[in-house]
Amino acid sequence: MKFGGTSMADLERIRRAARLVAAEVDAGHKVAVVVSAMAGKTNELVAWTDGAGQPTGKAAEVHADSDDEYDVVVASGEQVTAGLLAITLRNLGYPARSMMGWQVPIKTSMLHAKARIADFPADNLINAMDSGQIVVVPGFQGISDDGRITTLGRGGSDTSAVAVAIAAQATRCDIYTDVDGVYTTDPRIEAKAKRLDKISFEEMLEMASLGAKVLQTRSVELAMAYRMPVRVLSSFVEPGENLNQGTLVCDEEEIVEKHIVSGVAYSRDEAKITLLGLPNKIGVSAAIFGRLAAANINVDMIVQSEKRSGDYANQLFTVGRRDAQRAAEIMNEAKADIGFDDLKVDEGVSKISIVGVGMRSHTGVAETMFRALSEKGINIQVISTSEIKISVLIDEAYTELAVRALHAAYGLDKIGA
Amino acid sequence: MKFGGTSMADLERIRRAARLVAAEVDAGHKVAVVVSAMAGKTNELVAWTDGAGQPTGKAAEVHADSDDEYDVVVASGEQVTAGLLAITLRNLGYPARSMMGWQVPIKTSMLHAKARIADFPADNLINAMDSGQIVVVPGFQGISDDGRITTLGRGGSDTSAVAVAIAAQATRCDIYTDVDGVYTTDPRIEAKAKRLDKISFEEMLEMASLGAKVLQTRSVELAMAYRMPVRVLSSFVEPGENLNQGTLVCDEEEIVEKHIVSGVAYSRDEAKITLLGLPNKIGVSAAIFGRLAAANINVDMIVQSEKRSGDYANQLFTVGRRDAQRAAEIMNEAKADIGFDDLKVDEGVSKISIVGVGMRSHTGVAETMFRALSEKGINIQVISTSEIKISVLIDEAYTELAVRALHAAYGLDKIGA
């Protein structure tokens, strides 16, 4: 069972989480729990490390890399909630203990502030659970080979939860959060959005990557790799309320009633960069994308447009909005090398995606999408596809309209739960 | 170098502490640093554990012992400041890293919430320092033999600092705090109080035990056992300000100009309990003090008064004020067994003490004390003495008057710094 920051926000919420854990134990299950820091706490700790990291004096010109100490500071938030939940469980009459990342141990890479889980020896965890303890593990944190505290990057507690579930050989990983499941789209945009009873790992991975914030992408990757079923459900209910079915993220084979399209995702964190008048010669793409990769800028969609007069073409690609200005600077610095005429940055775009394993076996899915958007007068700027998703880049102003149009076009308001 | 909570209260204070550390490094010293949590933080964390520890539901009748998880929660405060100070030092251009209690490791007993340091292997610490790092160790925390986080009890960071100094084979342990040294008495009561240049371990131990809050008692015991000189000085100055001499706590032999009396201490945390009409028979004292010891109540002064009529006597003892009502309850429960007539609790008392190694070789010290108090009309209720201190119990209302009278009587306003 994993509880996010809003579910750990204060002692009252922690008590409610404890009651949910207790109910599972009463039902005869062995339980390990993963917790986030109190809502807002991680931001406060990060702000302190930022403040402490302002270079002054001797080092004014050299911003020292302090990600290892950043990890020491920010990992403390989950340590606090893990201890408090263990105390609360004991005071409900249930044996419990916390087990820090370094005590489990959850071994990670040494890439501080965005470490990846490398190994998670299960002996300590399983021994404690076999002795009747509820084990509470702080999410987000681990330990590197050189014995330093690491953190997994923001949202990493979901990944911790899946890792602990795998280590404990759990039958399921339940992620308690502030929504009661995975929806066909964001209910704040489309009131007719429906909660899905089940969604496949592959679809969830696409949804998470495409902007649905309910689960962290890496946690879904890990769950998929180990075929660990993950259930997303609300922590804002009391034990036994049967409203609380949640959404099961599982193998496609376990989903009887498959939808052609399971969800509509959107992301406003997009920017479009167009290089005009590129020479059409070998090595130009490598020159562009090699430079962006070297700067750790992730490129999403790429389109090379038709040639214009002679041997010149336009190159269009999208990056995260916060990277847009930096990407433009890098391109402009290499303008002579790459040889383009001009560069345009458009931060007024959003990406709308439909996701569904049904696309593999059904035809006409893309056509339905393009027609629905066209009927609303929405222009498609870029298209990209994978086996189970279609994404389009549009003018950001049409985001909500596009989401609602697609939600209706695929009948998502009529499905499931 | 050790910095207390007020010296770590915010990022600005942490930067000032970092400048003080940097100045020592610039002077050619290898430095290890021990830090407290931000002022107020430990209280907040303790309050959370109290709140989480309110028994409810199944366990309403059984208050579970959660000191191990209390330790997990409260130890996080020092983890945060250790990381922040390391980041700040790096950004001043000085190599630094934090090293948690479990990383050093600072091995302690398993008595959670009031663990005692058992062993502190120095290899990790010395290797890091030899490689040019400033090592920042969170105070107050350690690790037990079974690998759990422990804490040393409130004020334990002073003890951590002395332990780290011993482990690092330091020439000195500098404790930076919100006062600039050890004074002949509390300057809030006697404006003429003087800072002492030096004070012996033995005197400091008595002063700390008797209510002077500048150093934690156990830290002085540890320093004395290893003959580790401790300097108390202010963190509220910039490096190099020569105001900042502080007070050196050291071997008596190193103090050339010895005072007969070095200080006047007081404590209001006192309560007097009198058992009236006790049978004068063997085993009565054991019956009384055995019961108090079993309840973990510390008894300070004990006086058995003259017998009254026949074989009956009164027994008087003092305990910490917060233990007074509980001690009275324990006595009353055993009233029949012990066989006293009546019990009185007086919480309106305070203890005034004079401390000085000069008492060993000078006569008339006690007489001066009693005459000075008598001249002010202050009645002495109980007297207790050791080789280097005399304590008296008086009516609490006379506390300040007594402190000032004794400060003048021993000429403490005329000494030293």
Side-chain angles (χ1 to χ4, degrees), chain A residues 42-101:
Chain A
T42 303
N43 287 340
E44 180 187 56
L45 294 167
V46 169
W48 284 344
T49 65
D50 284 347
Q54 298 302 325
T56 52
K58 272 202 209 184
E61 300 304 307
V62 196
H63 186 83
D65 177 16
S66 292
D67 283 346
D68 53 343
E69 298 299 337
Y70 165 98
D71 283 352
V72 168
V73 175
V74 299
S76 69
E78 284 75 11
Q79 178 168 331
V80 170
T81 47
L84 291 177
L85 181 59
I87 294 172
T88 307
L89 283 165
R90 288 183 190 174
N91 283 300
L92 289 174
Y94 295 81
R97 66 155 288 185
S98 66
M99 200 178 276
M100 303 296 104

Side-chain angles (χ1 to χ4, degrees), chain A residues 90-93, chain B residues 53-65:
Chain A
R90 288 183 190 174
N91 283 300
L92 289 174
Chain B
Q54 297 303 325
T56 51
K58 270 203 209 183
E61 299 303 306
V62 196
H63 186 83
D65 175 17

Side-chain angles (χ1 to χ4, degrees), chain A residues 15 51-53 56 58-59 65-66 68-69 72 76 79-80 88 90-92 94 97-98 102-103 147-148, chain B residues 15 51-53 56 58-59 65-66 68-69 72 76 79-80 87-88 90-92 94 97-98 102-103 147-148:
Chain A
R15 275 190 279 270
T56 52
K58 272 202 209 184
D65 177 16
S66 292
D68 53 343
E69 298 299 337
V72 168
S76 69
Q79 178 168 331
V80 170
T88 307
R90 288 183 190 174
N91 283 300
L92 289 174
Y94 295 81
R97 66 155 288 185
S98 66
W102 54 271
Q103 290 169 326
R148 300 297 309 272
Chain B
R15 276 190 279 271
T56 51
K58 270 203 209 183
D65 175 17
S66 292
D68 52 342
E69 298 299 337
V72 168
S76 69
Q79 178 168 331
V80 169
I87 294 173
T88 307
R90 288 183 190 174
N91 283 300
L92 288 174
Y94 295 81
R97 66 154 289 184
S98 66
W102 54 271
Q103 289 169 324
R148 300 296 309 272

Side-chain angles (χ1 to χ4, degrees), chain B residues 42 79 89 116 124 150 159 166 195 238 306 326 338:
Chain B
T42 303
Q79 178 168 331
L89 283 165
R116 296 186 76 99
N124 292 343
T150 53
T159 310
I166 295 164
R195 181 172 55 75
E238 289 298 328
E306 298 156 33
R326 202 156 54 89
I338 300 170

Side-chain angles (χ1 to χ4, degrees), chain B residues 170-190:
Chain B
T171 46
R172 201 175 65 232
C173 175
D174 281 356
I175 307 249
Y176 286 80
T177 179
D178 49 2
V179 296
D180 67 344
V182 180
Y183 276 70
T184 49
T185 194
D186 185 342
R188 289 168 301 182
I189 286 185
E190 174 52 89

Side-chain angles (χ1 to χ4, degrees), chain A residues 389-410:
Chain A
K389 69 117 202 211
I390 306 172
S391 296
V392 297
L393 200 73
I394 63 169
D395 183 336
E396 189 186 4
Y398 293 89
T399 305
E400 292 85 354
L401 184 64
V403 167
R404 291 185 203 117
L406 295 175
H407 199 264
Y410 293 102

